[in-house]
């Protein structure tokens, strides 16, 4: 097995099933922020990516993707249920997102989560060269840093949490809270989207381990673990190039024509997840229609909701509720050939997304809680025309950077309604000024800047970043 000097460890490999099975491999991103972000920086990097291919049973033999070697980790059906659907996505995911859905604690999930983390750590230890850097991603693999340190003390270990990391009041509910904190603190550098998260970790390390901790360093077992905020971003250059591609420009014209040239178009694009605030948004839109502030003849909502984690009951129930509500709204307010909402429950290509973003008069991104939300950034990057308005939840990590958006509290349906109207009715000058400021910010804070900042902090010398971030 070839050993690499950079190893990425993430729950998922950046492939979907068909790409993995048919051998004709190209980067096929599974919808989700993490693989999109890492995909952008790793295409030309001689690294190894350790992850799960999304299927149960024997791990497939996978060809390299560009310069990246893929090292699959196999999961059994019981492991998929206990580790991925159970502890990761029914315990940690809801708890870390402000418990907007009640977290489920099932004792037997813990052992599966622990043993799958051990397998990921062993796979990383196997493919990492001497003194390599290993970059572990997200809440699925929170125990891996410490496990890896025990197996390979020579490694430089980074951990990055893509989702929010909650305050002690919430985290303290976790039955296995001490192990989870110790697991992360096996890293040399723990990165988060927001500074508040680093502060939360410091408080928890003091409380649970009696560690000496500040918002940028925690001393544990005589070792200093650095912490900090590194807001993740997108491949701005890719999205800008897509937006101006002739076939995409044609798609935009076609979409505008199909939706009705004279209509104001609102667009939302989400994984179908209860953290994304889709139900609150539909309630606000229904009330705007009911009150006559918005009329089907002059306004339309396009809601893309790509299926996600469909074997988890709460996700299936959510899908049923959303589809019921879209049906009710269209039944009540739609006209023949003119629905109030176009609802699309399917994956889109990057080009189709770039076209859709450019069709929006108002992009509506209103999660109840989100680590970052890359859709908001993709929308801003796609607007080469400098037009369009962004309605953005205060509870998305992106709000800290895109402060010129129309910010909203999505838990407050009245605020949501008023903000949607404000964005729809804003003057072209106001929208353009806001968009320009956000585009300026993004141009300097793209995905390469994120990786460079993180890796530079990880090894202190900048050598890792220079070596691996091709376009640095
Ligand atoms: P999360 O990581 O919670 O899914 P983000 O907004 O950060 O949320 O990332 C979502 C990513 O998934 C974005 O890159 C977006 O373009 C992509 N995506 C969302 N919906 C679709 C879809 N229908 N088809 C393909 N990609 C999608
Ligand atoms: O960080 C959020 C996250 O869990 C990522 O790991 C992933 O990009 C995305 O959500 C999609 O989730 P899943 O891998 O469960 O489909």
């Amino acid at each position: 097995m070839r050993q690499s000097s950079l190893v990425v460890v993430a729950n998922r490999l950046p492939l979907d099933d068909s790409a993995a099975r048919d051998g004709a491999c190209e980067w096929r991103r599974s919808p989700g922020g993490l693989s999109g972000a890492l995909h952008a920086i790793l295409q030309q990097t001689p690294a190894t990516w350790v992850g799960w291919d999304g299927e149960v049973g024997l791990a497939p033999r996978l060809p390299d993707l560009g310069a990246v070697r893929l090292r699959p980790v196999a999961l059994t059906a019981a492991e998929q249920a206990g580790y991925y659907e159970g502890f990761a996505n029914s315990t940690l995911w809801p708890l870390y997102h402000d418990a907007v859905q009640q977290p489920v604690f099932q004792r037997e999930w813990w052992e599966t989560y622990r043993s799958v983390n051990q397998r990921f750590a062993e796979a990383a230890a196997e493919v990492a060269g001497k003194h390599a850097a290993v970059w572990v991603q997200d809440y699925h693999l929170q125990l891996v840093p410490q496990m890896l340190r025990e197996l390979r003390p020579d490694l430089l270990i980074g951990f990055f949490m893509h989702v929010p990391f909650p305050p002690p009041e919430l985290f303290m509910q976790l039955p296995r809270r001490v192990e989870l904190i110790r697991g992360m603190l096996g890293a040399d550098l723990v990165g988060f989207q927001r500074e508040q998260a680093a502060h939360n970790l410091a408080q928890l390390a003091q409380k649970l381990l009696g560690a000496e901790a500040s918002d940028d360093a925690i001393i544990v077992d005589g070792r200093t673990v650095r912490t900090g905020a590194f807001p993740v971003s997108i491949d701005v250059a890719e999205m800008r190039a897509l937006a101006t591609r002739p076939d995409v420009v044609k798609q935009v014209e076609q979409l505008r024509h199909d939706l009705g040239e004279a209509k104001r178009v609102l667009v939302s694009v989400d994984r179908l997840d209860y953290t994304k605030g889709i139900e609150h948004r539909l309630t606000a839109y229904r009330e705007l229609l009911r009150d006559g502030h918005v009329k089907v003849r002059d306004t339309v909502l396009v809601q893309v909701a790509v299926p996600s984690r469909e074997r988890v009951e709460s996700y299936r129930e959510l899908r049923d509720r959303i589809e019921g509500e879209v049906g009710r709204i269209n039944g009540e307010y739609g006209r023949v050939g003119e629905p109030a909402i176009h609802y699309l429950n399917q994956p889109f290509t990057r080009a189709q997304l770039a076209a859709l973003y450019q069709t929006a008069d108002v992009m509506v991104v209103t999660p109840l809680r989100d680590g970052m939300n890359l859709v908001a950034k993709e929308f801003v990057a796609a607007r080469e025309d400098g037009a369009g308005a962004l309605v953005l939840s205060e509870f998305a990590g992106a709000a800290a950077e895109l402060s010129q958006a129309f910010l909203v509290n999505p838990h407050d349906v009245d605020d949501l309604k008023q903000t949607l109207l404000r964005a729809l009715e804003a003057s072209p000058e106001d929208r353009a000024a806001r968009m320009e400021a956000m585009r300026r910010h993004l141009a300097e804070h793209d995905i390469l800047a994120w990786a460079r900042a993180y890796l530079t902090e990880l090894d202190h010398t900048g050598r890792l970043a220079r070596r691996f971030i091709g376009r640095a």
Side-chain angles (χ1 to χ4, degrees), residues 14 27 29 34-43 49 235 238:
W27 287 102
R29 309 178 192 182
L34 190 157
S35 58
L38 290 168
H39 152 259
I41 54 170
L42 287 182
Q43 292 174 84
W49 184 315
D235 190 343
E238 182 220 30

Side-chain angles (χ1 to χ4, degrees), residues 165-169 181 192 195-205 215:
F165 189 68
E169 302 85 83
I181 293 292
F192 295 103
E195 274 158 23
Q196 180 62 43
H199 177 70
N200 293 345
L201 177 61
Q203 285 192 313
L204 283 162
D215 288 2

Side-chain angles (χ1 to χ4, degrees), residues 263-323:
K263 279 195 182 162
R264 304 180 298 180
V265 179
L266 298 124
V267 174
S268 286
V269 174
D270 307 277
R271 254 186 328 101
L272 212 162
D273 194 297
Y274 49 78
T275 60
K276 302 292 180 183
I278 303 172
E279 291 182 283
H280 294 63
R281 191 184 302 150
L282 291 177
T283 302
Y285 199 63
R286 177 165 39 73
E287 291 189 11
L288 286 174
L289 285 162
R290 182 197 64 195
D291 302 344
H293 292 302
V294 156
K295 299 206 166 43
V296 165
R297 66 168 179 271
D298 60 30
T299 310
V300 66
L301 170 64
V302 180
Q303 172 70 65
V304 175
V306 68
S308 181
R309 304 176 190 163
E310 293 220 291
R311 287 163 45 93
V312 178
E313 201 184 328
S314 54
Y315 284 76
R316 282 199 304 272
E317 288 170 0
L318 175 73
R319 182 171 173 172
D320 288 348
R321 288 199 304 275
I322 287 174
E323 295 185 351

